[in-house]
Amino acid sequence: MVETLKDIPLGIKQLFTSITHLKEGEKVLVITDDNKREIGEFVYNYAKMFFETSMMVMPAREGHGAEPTEAVAAALNHCDVAFGATTMSMYHSKARLDASKNGRLRWIGLQDYALHMFEEGGLTADFDEVTRVVNRVAPHYKGKTFTLTAPGGTNMTCSIEGREPVLDHGTATVPGSASFPPNAEVALGPVEGTANGVLVFDGSIPHPLLNLIDEPITCIVKDGFITEISGGKEADILSKLLADFNDPTVYNIAELGLGLNKENFLCGHMAPDEGSFGNIHIGIGKNLNFGGHVNSPLHLDLVIKKVSCEIDGRYVMKDGELLV
């Protein structure tokens, strides 16, 4: 029988301690869906040993940022910490955003999790050190002009003037905060309509139809939008996935998210892939969390490996290594 936090998997212990600072008497909500019930129940079975815990199950959502059921949205306003053990991310949903803004909620996204993530990789990181790295990079991750290059062929520039970096330390320890550990990043929202160039996605696209990329996907970007997608089978899947929305906003270049957790590795799951050190994920679609005004039905992140990032002519990262 598990009696203390030291007897549970390291990843679970991290969720309850350094990641959330959960305290006795606080109320925990675990949200899961039909596809990720194994993960939801895994977290619930440990959480209920130490905290007042409830679990809610809903049908899987169709895309990242889609709204949860009405009952789940209401429940978010009546808990201290919510773990979203779902297929698709709720981070960009209005329900999550409103609950974080208006209530006591600390949100932890566990979307697209696998059981091995509780024992190895990013969840085993020293999150105090991760926080120090993110905070050190943040003051350098802003300016006027952002230039992104990578060995795979990426070469894109955009304006970031007036945009402030959004930080994810992989922790949510105060009311209103949100994260999806083991991701850790600094992110910027490009000014709408300013991104131009080529993006070559050679890392992963955290989506059930894609994940780790075998054949790079080349996207032409013009005036802030992806206008052409080419490559192999995976490029065709991405093209269809986006076209099926029948909404031009899903092609918007929404985010420049620089991964900063050194314990993460590309494994085909959202949080470790997006937070993998030396890589960047380009978010497309909704950009409301990044100082923008595009309220798209989708926010999808696409990872590029071993990047170089320049802001106003100064390298923040070069060939996957931090220079600040």
Side-chain angles (χ1 to χ4, degrees), residues 24-242:
E24 186 177 351
E26 290 195 303
K27 294 177 173 59
V28 173
L29 174 65
V30 178
I31 302 163
T32 190
D33 60 39
D34 297 323
N35 298 338
K36 286 294 179 179
R37 194 161 182 158
E38 180 184 40
I39 304 298
E41 291 180 348
F42 187 77
V43 175
Y44 169 76
N45 285 333
Y46 285 110
K48 71 180 181 180
M49 296 177 180
F50 306 102
F51 312 102
E52 181 182 324
T53 305
S54 302
M55 186 173 80
M56 300 182 74
V57 183
M58 65 180 180
R61 305 290 94 177
E62 291 187 0
H64 300 303
E67 296 303 315
T69 62
E70 187 175 339
V72 167
L76 288 174
N77 294 293
H78 300 282
C79 64
D80 298 293
V81 170
F83 295 106
T86 52
T87 306
M88 301 293 186
S89 171
M90 289 174 54
Y91 182 81
H92 294 278
S93 67
K94 185 176 185 298
R96 201 286 301 171
L97 291 168
D98 287 349
S100 293
K101 180 167 52 177
N102 299 329
R104 64 191 199 238
L105 176 69
R106 310 200 294 280
W107 170 260
I108 301 294
L110 307 181
Q111 65 276 358
D112 191 32
Y113 257 50
L115 287 175
H116 72 81
M117 291 168 57
F118 295 100
E119 301 283 359
E120 63 179 358
L123 276 186
T124 70
D126 177 345
F127 281 90
D128 290 336
E129 175 60 21
V130 170
T131 295
R132 285 191 286 270
V133 173
V134 171
N135 289 344
R136 187 180 81 235
V137 174
H140 304 280
Y141 206 65
K142 58 183 177 180
K144 293 184 178 181
T145 302
F146 189 100
T147 302
L148 175 67
T149 58
T154 290
N155 191 336
M156 186 190 79
T157 61
C158 62
S159 170
I160 53 171
E161 190 166 5
R163 297 288 164 91
E164 289 295 316
V166 176
L167 313 185
D168 187 347
H169 302 95
T171 63
T173 60
V174 298
S177 58
S179 72
F180 61 115
N183 179 56
E185 65 178 271
V186 292
L188 281 170
V191 176
E192 291 85 348
T194 65
N196 286 282
V198 179
L199 296 171
V200 181
F201 300 108
D202 55 2
S204 77
I205 300 176
H207 187 282
L209 297 176
L210 290 161
N211 296 317
L212 292 178
I213 298 302
D214 291 323
E215 186 173 350
I217 300 170
T218 299
C219 296
I220 305 300
V221 178
K222 185 175 181 181
D223 298 334
F225 291 87
I226 291 173
T227 57
E228 296 178 38
I229 301 173
S230 61
K233 180 181 178 181
E234 292 155 316
D236 294 339
I237 292 171
L238 178 64
S239 295
K240 184 178 187 307
L241 189 159
L242 298 178

Side-chain angles (χ1 to χ4, degrees), residues 275-288:
S276 54
F277 194 93
N279 302 331
I280 201 168
H281 55 272
I282 304 297
I284 59 174
K286 185 184 295 187
N287 68 0
L288 301 183

